[in-house]
Amino acid sequence: MRKEQLLEGMKGRINPRVIEAMEKVPRELFLPEALASRAYDDTPLPIGYGQTISAPHMVAIMCDLLDLGEGMQVLEVGGGSGYHAAVMAQLIGPEGRVYSVERIPELRSWAQENLRRAGIKNVILVEGDGSLGLEKHAPYDRISVAATAPHVPESLKAQLKTGGKMVIPVGIGYQELLLVTRKDGFVVEEMMGVAFVPLIGEQGFREPGR
Ligand code: SAM
């Protein structure tokens, strides 16, 4: 599929700001070279280490639900290729920051290189267990989790600003994408069924074989 075709198909369903941000980010720079020609297929693709880059429509839906605005401080859990972080970085502009946590060191380094090649400067990549969030830069206006969790981690809830929003897939087997809004308490809305790789960590699932 061509990029224009892919983005055209999102019109009327996804906020135009999100489509515009996706127009600016070359997904081919966030894929292993052998898969670059499939960059605008609307599907997840393998990025090594048993992980995937999310499908473009999923990135669009998650960005749309988060309603990302200029200057926001965003935490991403599961940096992968860096693509989703790059789209969020466009949406929050140069005054905003995306802190993206990735547990696999090789992917963290590769994402860093991908973001450099794409000229994205407002994403800070951190290696670690994102199920615990990233206390150092908390609290966050928005939190985007790109791996499925057994439940919404308490650390992530604690690191969300009042008025803030988080998107997170929860469950194994059947997974539900949740939109969590912090008001006086937490309002949890079930948005849709999804398929993500597991969140492995202290407040996620156990590493296979451990
Ligand atoms: N957002 C990514 C992109 O645009 O390429 C796709 C993310 S991929 C679906 C999920 C990622 O979450 C994987 O790279 C995986 O290594 C990472 N992950 C799993 N558990 C994690 C944890 N506890 N902390 C940080 N990253 C984690």
Side-chain angles (χ1 to χ4, degrees), residues 165-181:
K165 291 175 191 284
M166 162 167 37
V167 277
I168 179 167
V170 166
I172 205 82
Y174 181 78
Q175 306 172 14
E176 185 77 35
L177 185 68
L178 303 182
L179 175 64
V180 180
T181 307

mmCIF file with all atom_site columns, all heavy atoms in Angstrom, residues 165-181:
data_model
loop_
_atom_site.group_PDB
_atom_site.id
_atom_site.type_symbol
_atom_site.label_atom_id
_atom_site.label_alt_id
_atom_site.label_comp_id
_atom_site.label_asym_id
_atom_site.label_entity_id
_atom_site.label_seq_id
_atom_site.pdbx_PDB_ins_code
_atom_site.Cartn_x
_atom_site.Cartn_y
_atom_site.Cartn_z
_atom_site.occupancy
_atom_site.B_iso_or_equiv
_atom_site.pdbx_formal_charge
_atom_site.auth_seq_id
_atom_site.auth_comp_id
_atom_site.auth_asym_id
_atom_site.auth_atom_id
_atom_site.pdbx_PDB_model_num
ATOM 1   N N   . LYS A 1 165 ? -4.399  11.387  30.876 1.00 0.00 ? 165 LYS A N   1
ATOM 2   C CA  . LYS A 1 165 ? -5.009  10.202  30.232 1.00 0.00 ? 165 LYS A CA  1
ATOM 3   C C   . LYS A 1 165 ? -3.945  9.163   29.937 1.00 0.00 ? 165 LYS A C   1
ATOM 4   O O   . LYS A 1 165 ? -2.802  9.518   29.595 1.00 0.00 ? 165 LYS A O   1
ATOM 5   C CB  . LYS A 1 165 ? -5.647  10.576  28.895 1.00 0.00 ? 165 LYS A CB  1
ATOM 6   C CG  . LYS A 1 165 ? -6.883  11.459  28.985 1.00 0.00 ? 165 LYS A CG  1
ATOM 7   C CD  . LYS A 1 165 ? -7.311  11.843  27.563 1.00 0.00 ? 165 LYS A CD  1
ATOM 8   C CE  . LYS A 1 165 ? -8.358  12.930  27.559 1.00 0.00 ? 165 LYS A CE  1
ATOM 9   N NZ  . LYS A 1 165 ? -9.683  12.465  27.916 1.00 0.00 ? 165 LYS A NZ  1
ATOM 10  N N   . MET A 1 166 ? -4.351  7.891   30.014 1.00 0.00 ? 166 MET A N   1
ATOM 11  C CA  . MET A 1 166 ? -3.445  6.780   29.684 1.00 0.00 ? 166 MET A CA  1
ATOM 12  C C   . MET A 1 166 ? -4.194  5.806   28.783 1.00 0.00 ? 166 MET A C   1
ATOM 13  O O   . MET A 1 166 ? -5.374  5.517   29.004 1.00 0.00 ? 166 MET A O   1
ATOM 14  C CB  . MET A 1 166 ? -3.022  6.096   30.998 1.00 0.00 ? 166 MET A CB  1
ATOM 15  C CG  . MET A 1 166 ? -2.445  4.700   30.824 1.00 0.00 ? 166 MET A CG  1
ATOM 16  S SD  . MET A 1 166 ? -1.607  4.000   32.288 1.00 0.00 ? 166 MET A SD  1
ATOM 17  C CE  . MET A 1 166 ? -2.532  4.538   33.692 1.00 0.00 ? 166 MET A CE  1
ATOM 18  N N   . VAL A 1 167 ? -3.487  5.276   27.758 1.00 0.00 ? 167 VAL A N   1
ATOM 19  C CA  . VAL A 1 167 ? -4.060  4.153   26.993 1.00 0.00 ? 167 VAL A CA  1
ATOM 20  C C   . VAL A 1 167 ? -3.199  2.933   27.287 1.00 0.00 ? 167 VAL A C   1
ATOM 21  O O   . VAL A 1 167 ? -1.966  3.009   27.280 1.00 0.00 ? 167 VAL A O   1
ATOM 22  C CB  . VAL A 1 167 ? -4.114  4.379   25.458 1.00 0.00 ? 167 VAL A CB  1
ATOM 23  C CG1 . VAL A 1 167 ? -5.324  5.179   25.059 1.00 0.00 ? 167 VAL A CG1 1
ATOM 24  C CG2 . VAL A 1 167 ? -2.851  4.978   24.911 1.00 0.00 ? 167 VAL A CG2 1
ATOM 25  N N   . ILE A 1 168 ? -3.861  1.815   27.520 1.00 0.00 ? 168 ILE A N   1
ATOM 26  C CA  . ILE A 1 168 ? -3.132  0.595   27.898 1.00 0.00 ? 168 ILE A CA  1
ATOM 27  C C   . ILE A 1 168 ? -3.949  -0.649  27.535 1.00 0.00 ? 168 ILE A C   1
ATOM 28  O O   . ILE A 1 168 ? -5.128  -0.732  27.890 1.00 0.00 ? 168 ILE A O   1
ATOM 29  C CB  . ILE A 1 168 ? -2.769  0.620   29.413 1.00 0.00 ? 168 ILE A CB  1
ATOM 30  C CG1 . ILE A 1 168 ? -2.029  -0.674  29.804 1.00 0.00 ? 168 ILE A CG1 1
ATOM 31  C CG2 . ILE A 1 168 ? -3.975  0.873   30.311 1.00 0.00 ? 168 ILE A CG2 1
ATOM 32  C CD1 . ILE A 1 168 ? -1.377  -0.606  31.177 1.00 0.00 ? 168 ILE A CD1 1
ATOM 33  N N   . PRO A 1 169 ? -3.329  -1.608  26.810 1.00 0.00 ? 169 PRO A N   1
ATOM 34  C CA  . PRO A 1 169 ? -4.016  -2.873  26.589 1.00 0.00 ? 169 PRO A CA  1
ATOM 35  C C   . PRO A 1 169 ? -3.877  -3.755  27.828 1.00 0.00 ? 169 PRO A C   1
ATOM 36  O O   . PRO A 1 169 ? -2.798  -3.815  28.428 1.00 0.00 ? 169 PRO A O   1
ATOM 37  C CB  . PRO A 1 169 ? -3.266  -3.492  25.399 1.00 0.00 ? 169 PRO A CB  1
ATOM 38  C CG  . PRO A 1 169 ? -1.977  -2.759  25.273 1.00 0.00 ? 169 PRO A CG  1
ATOM 39  C CD  . PRO A 1 169 ? -2.008  -1.543  26.151 1.00 0.00 ? 169 PRO A CD  1
ATOM 40  N N   . VAL A 1 170 ? -4.966  -4.414  28.194 1.00 0.00 ? 170 VAL A N   1
ATOM 41  C CA  . VAL A 1 170 ? -4.955  -5.274  29.385 1.00 0.00 ? 170 VAL A CA  1
ATOM 42  C C   . VAL A 1 170 ? -5.563  -6.631  29.040 1.00 0.00 ? 170 VAL A C   1
ATOM 43  O O   . VAL A 1 170 ? -6.579  -6.700  28.353 1.00 0.00 ? 170 VAL A O   1
ATOM 44  C CB  . VAL A 1 170 ? -5.721  -4.586  30.541 1.00 0.00 ? 170 VAL A CB  1
ATOM 45  C CG1 . VAL A 1 170 ? -6.027  -5.572  31.657 1.00 0.00 ? 170 VAL A CG1 1
ATOM 46  C CG2 . VAL A 1 170 ? -4.902  -3.430  31.104 1.00 0.00 ? 170 VAL A CG2 1
ATOM 47  N N   . GLY A 1 171 ? -4.900  -7.690  29.531 1.00 0.00 ? 171 GLY A N   1
ATOM 48  C CA  . GLY A 1 171 ? -5.420  -9.047  29.362 1.00 0.00 ? 171 GLY A CA  1
ATOM 49  C C   . GLY A 1 171 ? -4.464  -9.895  28.552 1.00 0.00 ? 171 GLY A C   1
ATOM 50  O O   . GLY A 1 171 ? -3.572  -9.384  27.882 1.00 0.00 ? 171 GLY A O   1
ATOM 51  N N   . ILE A 1 172 ? -4.662  -11.204 28.645 1.00 0.00 ? 172 ILE A N   1
ATOM 52  C CA  . ILE A 1 172 ? -3.878  -12.125 27.825 1.00 0.00 ? 172 ILE A CA  1
ATOM 53  C C   . ILE A 1 172 ? -4.906  -13.066 27.217 1.00 0.00 ? 172 ILE A C   1
ATOM 54  O O   . ILE A 1 172 ? -5.914  -13.358 27.830 1.00 0.00 ? 172 ILE A O   1
ATOM 55  C CB  . ILE A 1 172 ? -2.767  -12.831 28.641 1.00 0.00 ? 172 ILE A CB  1
ATOM 56  C CG1 . ILE A 1 172 ? -1.618  -13.291 27.759 1.00 0.00 ? 172 ILE A CG1 1
ATOM 57  C CG2 . ILE A 1 172 ? -3.288  -13.961 29.513 1.00 0.00 ? 172 ILE A CG2 1
ATOM 58  C CD1 . ILE A 1 172 ? -0.621  -12.245 27.431 1.00 0.00 ? 172 ILE A CD1 1
ATOM 59  N N   . GLY A 1 173 ? -4.685  -13.522 26.007 1.00 0.00 ? 173 GLY A N   1
ATOM 60  C CA  . GLY A 1 173 ? -5.761  -14.174 25.268 1.00 0.00 ? 173 GLY A CA  1
ATOM 61  C C   . GLY A 1 173 ? -6.597  -13.036 24.721 1.00 0.00 ? 173 GLY A C   1
ATOM 62  O O   . GLY A 1 173 ? -6.183  -12.337 23.813 1.00 0.00 ? 173 GLY A O   1
ATOM 63  N N   . TYR A 1 174 ? -7.745  -12.741 25.344 1.00 0.00 ? 174 TYR A N   1
ATOM 64  C CA  . TYR A 1 174 ? -8.498  -11.556 24.925 1.00 0.00 ? 174 TYR A CA  1
ATOM 65  C C   . TYR A 1 174 ? -7.924  -10.321 25.601 1.00 0.00 ? 174 TYR A C   1
ATOM 66  O O   . TYR A 1 174 ? -7.768  -10.267 26.814 1.00 0.00 ? 174 TYR A O   1
ATOM 67  C CB  . TYR A 1 174 ? -9.992  -11.685 25.251 1.00 0.00 ? 174 TYR A CB  1
ATOM 68  C CG  . TYR A 1 174 ? -10.727 -10.455 24.780 1.00 0.00 ? 174 TYR A CG  1
ATOM 69  C CD1 . TYR A 1 174 ? -11.039 -10.305 23.438 1.00 0.00 ? 174 TYR A CD1 1
ATOM 70  C CD2 . TYR A 1 174 ? -11.029 -9.418  25.653 1.00 0.00 ? 174 TYR A CD2 1
ATOM 71  C CE1 . TYR A 1 174 ? -11.654 -9.148  22.973 1.00 0.00 ? 174 TYR A CE1 1
ATOM 72  C CE2 . TYR A 1 174 ? -11.659 -8.260  25.205 1.00 0.00 ? 174 TYR A CE2 1
ATOM 73  C CZ  . TYR A 1 174 ? -11.963 -8.134  23.859 1.00 0.00 ? 174 TYR A CZ  1
ATOM 74  O OH  . TYR A 1 174 ? -12.565 -6.994  23.400 1.00 0.00 ? 174 TYR A OH  1
ATOM 75  N N   . GLN A 1 175 ? -7.574  -9.339  24.803 1.00 0.00 ? 175 GLN A N   1
ATOM 76  C CA  . GLN A 1 175 ? -7.034  -8.083  25.354 1.00 0.00 ? 175 GLN A CA  1
ATOM 77  C C   . GLN A 1 175 ? -7.985  -6.931  25.048 1.00 0.00 ? 175 GLN A C   1
ATOM 78  O O   . GLN A 1 175 ? -8.530  -6.862  23.951 1.00 0.00 ? 175 GLN A O   1
ATOM 79  C CB  . GLN A 1 175 ? -5.684  -7.748  24.716 1.00 0.00 ? 175 GLN A CB  1
ATOM 80  C CG  . GLN A 1 175 ? -4.649  -8.842  24.788 1.00 0.00 ? 175 GLN A CG  1
ATOM 81  C CD  . GLN A 1 175 ? -3.405  -8.498  23.965 1.00 0.00 ? 175 GLN A CD  1
ATOM 82  O OE1 . GLN A 1 175 ? -3.198  -7.357  23.550 1.00 0.00 ? 175 GLN A OE1 1
ATOM 83  N NE2 . GLN A 1 175 ? -2.553  -9.475  23.742 1.00 0.00 ? 175 GLN A NE2 1
ATOM 84  N N   . GLU A 1 176 ? -8.115  -6.023  26.001 1.00 0.00 ? 176 GLU A N   1
ATOM 85  C CA  . GLU A 1 176 ? -8.976  -4.849  25.814 1.00 0.00 ? 176 GLU A CA  1
ATOM 86  C C   . GLU A 1 176 ? -8.102  -3.596  25.914 1.00 0.00 ? 176 GLU A C   1
ATOM 87  O O   . GLU A 1 176 ? -7.267  -3.499  26.805 1.00 0.00 ? 176 GLU A O   1
ATOM 88  C CB  . GLU A 1 176 ? -10.030 -4.847  26.938 1.00 0.00 ? 176 GLU A CB  1
ATOM 89  C CG  . GLU A 1 176 ? -11.075 -3.786  26.836 1.00 0.00 ? 176 GLU A CG  1
ATOM 90  C CD  . GLU A 1 176 ? -12.166 -4.069  25.795 1.00 0.00 ? 176 GLU A CD  1
ATOM 91  O OE1 . GLU A 1 176 ? -12.538 -5.246  25.602 1.00 0.00 ? 176 GLU A OE1 1
ATOM 92  O OE2 . GLU A 1 176 ? -12.642 -3.094  25.179 1.00 0.00 ? 176 GLU A OE2 1
ATOM 93  N N   . LEU A 1 177 ? -8.290  -2.678  24.971 1.00 0.00 ? 177 LEU A N   1
ATOM 94  C CA  . LEU A 1 177 ? -7.570  -1.396  25.068 1.00 0.00 ? 177 LEU A CA  1
ATOM 95  C C   . LEU A 1 177 ? -8.369  -0.483  25.996 1.00 0.00 ? 177 LEU A C   1
ATOM 96  O O   . LEU A 1 177 ? -9.538  -0.192  25.735 1.00 0.00 ? 177 LEU A O   1
ATOM 97  C CB  . LEU A 1 177 ? -7.436  -0.756  23.679 1.00 0.00 ? 177 LEU A CB  1
ATOM 98  C CG  . LEU A 1 177 ? -6.606  0.532   23.644 1.00 0.00 ? 177 LEU A CG  1
ATOM 99  C CD1 . LEU A 1 177 ? -5.126  0.251   23.942 1.00 0.00 ? 177 LEU A CD1 1
ATOM 100 C CD2 . LEU A 1 177 ? -6.724  1.222   22.277 1.00 0.00 ? 177 LEU A CD2 1
ATOM 101 N N   . LEU A 1 178 ? -7.723  -0.070  27.100 1.00 0.00 ? 178 LEU A N   1
ATOM 102 C CA  . LEU A 1 178 ? -8.405  0.788   28.078 1.00 0.00 ? 178 LEU A CA  1
ATOM 103 C C   . LEU A 1 178 ? -7.954  2.234   27.931 1.00 0.00 ? 178 LEU A C   1
ATOM 104 O O   . LEU A 1 178 ? -6.771  2.501   27.664 1.00 0.00 ? 178 LEU A O   1
ATOM 105 C CB  . LEU A 1 178 ? -8.081  0.332   29.508 1.00 0.00 ? 178 LEU A CB  1
ATOM 106 C CG  . LEU A 1 178 ? -8.397  -1.117  29.891 1.00 0.00 ? 178 LEU A CG  1
ATOM 107 C CD1 . LEU A 1 178 ? -8.039  -1.360  31.360 1.00 0.00 ? 178 LEU A CD1 1
ATOM 108 C CD2 . LEU A 1 178 ? -9.878  -1.424  29.655 1.00 0.00 ? 178 LEU A CD2 1
ATOM 109 N N   . LEU A 1 179 ? -8.909  3.137   28.134 1.00 0.00 ? 179 LEU A N   1
ATOM 110 C CA  . LEU A 1 179 ? -8.579  4.558   28.258 1.00 0.00 ? 179 LEU A CA  1
ATOM 111 C C   . LEU A 1 179 ? -8.826  4.913   29.714 1.00 0.00 ? 179 LEU A C   1
ATOM 112 O O   . LEU A 1 179 ? -9.948  4.796   30.214 1.00 0.00 ? 179 LEU A O   1
ATOM 113 C CB  . LEU A 1 179 ? -9.472  5.403   27.335 1.00 0.00 ? 179 LEU A CB  1
ATOM 114 C CG  . LEU A 1 179 ? -9.300  6.913   27.460 1.00 0.00 ? 179 LEU A CG  1
ATOM 115 C CD1 . LEU A 1 179 ? -7.891  7.361   27.031 1.00 0.00 ? 179 LEU A CD1 1
ATOM 116 C CD2 . LEU A 1 179 ? -10.343 7.662   26.608 1.00 0.00 ? 179 LEU A CD2 1
ATOM 117 N N   . VAL A 1 180 ? -7.735  5.294   30.412 1.00 0.00 ? 180 VAL A N   1
ATOM 118 C CA  . VAL A 1 180 ? -7.828  5.600   31.840 1.00 0.00 ? 180 VAL A CA  1
ATOM 119 C C   . VAL A 1 180 ? -7.652  7.109   32.011 1.00 0.00 ? 180 VAL A C   1
ATOM 120 O O   . VAL A 1 180 ? -6.646  7.674   31.570 1.00 0.00 ? 180 VAL A O   1
ATOM 121 C CB  . VAL A 1 180 ? -6.709  4.861   32.626 1.00 0.00 ? 180 VAL A CB  1
ATOM 122 C CG1 . VAL A 1 180 ? -6.793  5.168   34.118 1.00 0.00 ? 180 VAL A CG1 1
ATOM 123 C CG2 . VAL A 1 180 ? -6.783  3.357   32.375 1.00 0.00 ? 180 VAL A CG2 1
ATOM 124 N N   . THR A 1 181 ? -8.651  7.759   32.610 1.00 0.00 ? 181 THR A N   1
ATOM 125 C CA  . THR A 1 181 ? -8.565  9.209   32.829 1.00 0.00 ? 181 THR A CA  1
ATOM 126 C C   . THR A 1 181 ? -8.503  9.456   34.328 1.00 0.00 ? 181 THR A C   1
ATOM 127 O O   . THR A 1 181 ? -9.298  8.892   35.086 1.00 0.00 ? 181 THR A O   1
ATOM 128 C CB  . THR A 1 181 ? -9.808  9.926   32.231 1.00 0.00 ? 181 THR A CB  1
ATOM 129 O OG1 . THR A 1 181 ? -9.941  9.522   30.872 1.00 0.00 ? 181 THR A OG1 1
ATOM 130 C CG2 . THR A 1 181 ? -9.651  11.436  32.286 1.00 0.00 ? 181 THR A CG2 1
#
